[in-house]
Amino acid sequence: MMQIDCPYCGPRAQVEFAYERTLDSIVTLDMPAEEAVSRLYARANPRGLDDELWRHSFGCRQWLVLRRHRVSHAIVSITEYAP
């Protein structure tokens, strides 16, 4: 199990958080349809570092961006999500 260091609540177990998606898969309403389809269905699946969107569901309820290695699960950085 991963330990996630929430900037607001401190270190917490992964079960307190909900994984949402990688940041490169987020689509908006004003985005062209071709780009939205590309982001949702034709994205790369990197084996290295990736930025992921997580929510501290059982804590402060903040949205966080975790920069995490997809193979080793090592968390490099955690920042607040600002859309």
Side-chain angles (χ1 to χ4, degrees), residues 53-65:
L53 186 60
W54 290 70
R55 184 169 185 196
H56 194 177
S57 302
F58 295 105
C60 60
R61 306 186 68 75
Q62 293 294 316
W63 289 96
L64 305 171
V65 176

Side-chain angles (χ1 to χ4, degrees), residues 24-77:
D24 64 350
S25 68
I26 295 175
V27 296
T28 59
L29 294 175
D30 60 344
M31 190 176 288
E34 297 82 17
E35 184 179 351
V37 168
S38 174
R39 283 180 168 227
L40 289 174
Y41 302 110
R43 342 179 261 112
N45 188 9
R47 293 182 55 87
L49 292 174
D50 202 8
D51 293 325
E52 303 172 335
L53 186 60
W54 290 70
R55 184 169 185 196
H56 194 177
S57 302
F58 295 105
C60 60
R61 306 186 68 75
Q62 293 294 316
W63 289 96
L64 305 171
V65 176
L66 273 66
R67 184 158 182 81
R68 183 174 71 91
H69 195 278
R70 300 296 292 268
V71 177
S72 67
H73 301 292
I75 297 172
V76 176
S77 66

Side-chain angles (χ1 to χ4, degrees), residues 4-40:
I4 299 175
D5 191 10
C6 177
Y8 302 99
C9 304
R12 298 288 193 261
Q14 173 189 349
V15 296
E16 288 192 17
F17 296 83
Y19 169 80
E20 180 64 29
R21 65 185 62 224
T22 58
L23 288 185
D24 64 350
S25 68
I26 295 175
V27 296
T28 59
L29 294 175
D30 60 344
M31 190 176 288
E34 297 82 17
E35 184 179 351
V37 168
S38 174
R39 283 180 168 227
L40 289 174

